[in-house]
Structures are given as structure tokens and as C-alpha cells.
């Protein structure tokens, strides 16, 4: 399988991994030097992982999850970097019983390193709460 096809396959299955609450399976696609931006906060790998784990801690769960089209991937000329942008929606119940229903728009940057694709940057904007 060509590396561009490999990333397309990751992008195809990743929403299902996250949507099922498989946090470890989702986070294994993050690069150790990941940076992320969410809700006015720039985070490194550890901070981003901790943020996601805390959402699910104590019984937090995804009630509904969907993404827009994730097939429009732009690859660098050498095929070692890629970007994509897409909308997504999540209805989430936190451990304290609070339920949110939020629409987002996300941009991701992926690098091919050591024979595998890793997300190196994610920029997440809230569109509607």
C-alpha cells in the first residue's frame, strides 16, 4: 500500500476509533511532538492527551459523533506531509451528567516519519455549542 493510501485508510477509520471511546487507539496516532490548539489554548502532546483522557475519566462518554468529508487530503510534493480540514459534531455526556452538543471545524497536519503517519498538529475551532 502506498503511504498516501495508508493515511487515507487511517483517516477513514480514525473517527470510528474515537467515536467508540477508544482513547488509547485514537491517541496512538499523535506524534510525540504534537501541538494542538483548542478553545484558546495551545497544548503539547502531554497536555493534549491529558485533556482527552480527562473527558472520559469517571464515565464520560460520546453519545453521538459524526464527521464531514475527510477525503480531501492535500499531500506535499514528496508525499511526506499532509493536511486536511473538516467539520465534526459531538454530543458528549461528562461524568458529572452534563451533556454538550457541539459542532467543530478541525485542521490537521500529518507527517510520515519512520514508516508511519503521525498527527503533528491539530487546530480545533468551536463552530456552534
Amino acid at each position: 500500500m502506498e503511504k498516501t493510501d495508508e493515511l487515507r485508510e487511517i483517516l477513514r477509520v480514525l473517527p470510528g476509533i474515537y467515536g467508540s471511546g477508544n482513547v488509547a487507539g485514537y491517541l496512538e496516532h499523535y506524534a510525540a511532538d504534537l501541538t494542538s490548539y483548542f478553545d484558546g489554548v495551545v497544548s503539547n502532546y502531554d497536555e493534549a492527551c491529558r485533556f482527552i483522557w480527562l473527558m472520559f475519566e469517571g464515565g464520560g462518554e460520546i453519545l453521538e459523533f459524526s464527521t464531514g468529508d475527510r477525503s480531501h487530503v492535500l499531500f506535499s510534493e514528496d508525499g511526506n506531509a499532509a493536511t486536511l480540514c473538516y467539520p465534526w459534531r459531538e454530543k458528549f455526556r461528562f461524568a458529572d451528567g452534563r451533556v454538550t452538543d457541539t459542532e467543530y471545524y478541525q485542521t490537521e497536519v500529518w507527517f510520515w516519519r519512520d514508516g508511519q503517519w503521525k498527527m503533528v498538529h491539530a487546530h480545533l475551532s468551536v463552530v456552534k455549542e
Side-chain angles (χ1 to χ4, degrees):
M1 178 183 297
E2 289 190 31
K3 62 185 170 187
T4 55
D5 293 332
E6 188 174 324
L7 179 58
R8 290 182 193 285
E9 179 60 14
I10 291 168
L11 296 173
R12 186 186 71 75
V13 301
L14 204 54
I17 292 170
Y18 176 78
S20 71
N22 180 354
V23 178
Y26 178 75
L27 294 178
E28 74 181 26
H29 296 282
Y30 279 12
D33 60 345
L34 173 113
T35 58
S36 67
Y37 174 87
F38 176 61
D39 201 22
V41 177
V42 176
S43 300
N44 64 27
Y45 171 84
D46 291 332
E47 294 161 336
C49 291
R50 186 170 36 255
F51 174 81
I52 293 173
W53 276 112
L54 286 173
M55 286 177 48
F56 289 86
E57 189 174 82
E61 66 176 328
I62 296 170
L63 302 174
E64 296 175 27
F65 180 79
S66 62
T67 69
D69 187 0
R70 294 168 46 95
S71 66
H72 299 291
V73 182
L74 299 174
F75 288 94
S76 63
E77 204 170 297
D78 64 2
N80 290 327
T83 60
L84 72 147
C85 303
Y86 59 94
W88 60 280
R89 177 183 163 266
E90 176 181 65
K91 189 171 184 179
F92 195 91
R93 180 175 38 237
F94 290 85
D96 63 6
R98 179 175 46 104
V99 175
T100 58
D101 190 353
T102 310
E103 294 177 17
Y104 301 94
Y105 194 79
Q106 185 158 327
T107 301
E108 297 173 0
V109 179
W110 292 76
F111 286 172
W112 176 261
R113 294 180 174 159
D114 300 320
Q116 58 186 330
W117 285 103
K118 293 290 184 176
M119 188 188 311
V120 296
H121 183 72
H123 183 116
L124 183 64
S125 297
V126 173
V127 176
K128 181 180 175 185
E129 285 187 289

